[in-house]
Amino acid sequence: MIDRKLKKELNKWEVPAYDAGELEDTLSIAKNINLHPERQRMTGAAFFFGQLRFIRKRTWVLKLAFSAGMLWLLGTGRLELSNWLWTVLAISGPVLCLQNANELCRLFQPGLLEIQMTARNSFRSVLLIRLTVFGILDFLFFVCAAVFLSAFPETALWQAVLYGMVPYEIMCLGCLFILNRCGEETMLLYTAAWGVFLSCALLTLKISGAGIFEPSGFGGWALAGAAALPALGFELKRLLKNAGGNRYAFNDGTFIETV
């Protein structure tokens, strides 16, 4: 039974009589509307720059502050070349990569399957944008560091490239390995542990006098970088493959291939 008060309120409204002329006018106006929804879809560039605002402000601040601090420290020559200069540069790679991994782990959360199925751009596109932005920022950091360090007469450009990029490459390899195989609840813990382990290993080798930053160690650095490169490409390809397509789904924030 309809509530009496509600019925009384409904009776106050008058429904206008059917007018065939009004209907024809409405259809005529609708035909003349020049509306093209397909032209209003988000372009690739708009999607790329729109995704930047979803990266946490804390991540931007930490990366920029750390990069600026390290570049200032390396560029001013306050560190002795024979002591901690190369060690600081080598540790900078794992720290920068750990900041990237911290942000990427936020994407591996439950419920993203519904977003992937309804959004125009797949989760793979979102992941690629994060990787591209972080890669460009870190590349610019190492380029600036190499330029600053090559200004000293005691240094060489290849030293800045090897001592900076090889630890960064190994750190990225470990993070991708973890992202491909661990659950969302343990990703951040394992990546942090890997970053701490790699940094402590570099510090320990330096303190123990192993001479890893001597010119004689050039071959070892080059061999480590060359060996890690194909493995890095394989893990990155696996991550992007698992992140897209209808054959894959998310379960508790982890990638699972469905049959």
Side-chain angles (χ1 to χ4, degrees):
M1 174 177 276
I2 301 178
D3 187 87
R4 291 183 179 181
K5 292 184 179 180
L6 178 60
K7 186 177 181 180
K8 185 178 180 180
E9 293 294 329
L10 292 175
N11 290 332
K12 294 180 181 180
W13 295 89
E14 295 182 2
V15 180
Y18 174 77
D19 190 346
E22 293 292 337
L23 178 61
E24 292 178 358
D25 293 341
T26 302
L27 294 176
S28 177
I29 294 174
K31 291 180 180 179
N32 295 329
I33 296 178
N34 187 19
L35 182 62
H36 299 278
E38 70 279 359
R39 299 178 183 177
Q40 301 178 5
R41 293 179 180 178
M42 182 179 294
T43 62
F47 177 71
F48 179 87
F49 290 105
Q51 282 294 316
L52 298 182
R53 64 186 181 91
F54 290 104
I55 300 176
R56 291 181 298 179
K57 295 181 180 179
R58 185 179 68 179
T59 302
W60 292 111
V61 171
L62 287 177
K63 287 187 69 65
L64 295 177
F66 178 81
S67 300
M70 289 297 100
L71 290 176
W72 175 82
L73 193 62
L74 296 173
T76 55
R78 294 179 177 272
L79 298 173
E80 298 180 9
L81 292 174
S82 60
N83 192 6
W84 292 102
L85 181 65
W86 300 122
T87 308
V88 171
L89 178 63
I91 295 177
S92 298
V95 175
L96 288 173
C97 187
L98 184 59
Q99 294 172 353
N100 302 340
N102 186 22
E103 182 67 25
L104 293 178
C105 287
R106 295 181 62 248
L107 297 178
F108 296 78
Q109 297 177 0
L112 283 181
L113 176 61
E114 291 79 7
I115 299 177
Q116 180 188 3
M117 298 302 293
T118 57
R120 179 173 181 266
N121 297 90
S122 65
F123 181 78
R124 178 188 298 174
S125 301
V126 177
L127 188 61
L128 268 174
I129 289 177
R130 298 292 198 282
L131 294 173
T132 302
V133 171
F134 294 150
I136 292 175
L137 291 178
D138 296 342
F139 176 76
L140 292 177
F141 167 78
F142 286 114
V143 169
C144 294
V147 172
F148 289 163
L149 293 175
S150 60
F152 296 106
E154 302 91 344
T155 63
L157 182 61
W158 63 265
Q159 290 178 302
V161 173
L162 279 182
Y163 300 155
M165 293 302 298
V166 172
Y168 180 82
E169 181 183 346
I170 296 176
M171 179 66 187
C172 289
L173 174 59
C175 290
L176 290 176
F177 185 88
I178 293 170
L179 291 177
N180 282 327
R181 293 166 177 82
C182 296
E184 181 267 337
E185 66 280 357
T186 58
M187 282 180 179
L188 185 58
L189 175 62
Y190 289 163
T191 53
W194 171 242
V196 172
F197 168 78
L198 188 58
S199 300
C200 291
L202 292 170
L203 288 174
T204 302
L205 291 174
K206 171 61 181 176
I207 295 174
S208 62
I212 58 174
F213 299 110
E214 298 295 333
S216 57
F218 171 80
W221 284 93
L223 182 62
L229 190 60
L232 180 63
F234 173 80
E235 292 296 335
L236 181 59
K237 181 180 179 181
R238 178 174 180 175
L239 181 69
L240 295 178
K241 179 182 177 182
N242 292 345
N246 294 328
R247 295 177 59 244
Y248 297 89
F250 295 96
N251 181 25
D252 296 331
T254 58
F255 292 133
I256 296 180
E257 184 175 359
T258 57
V259 180

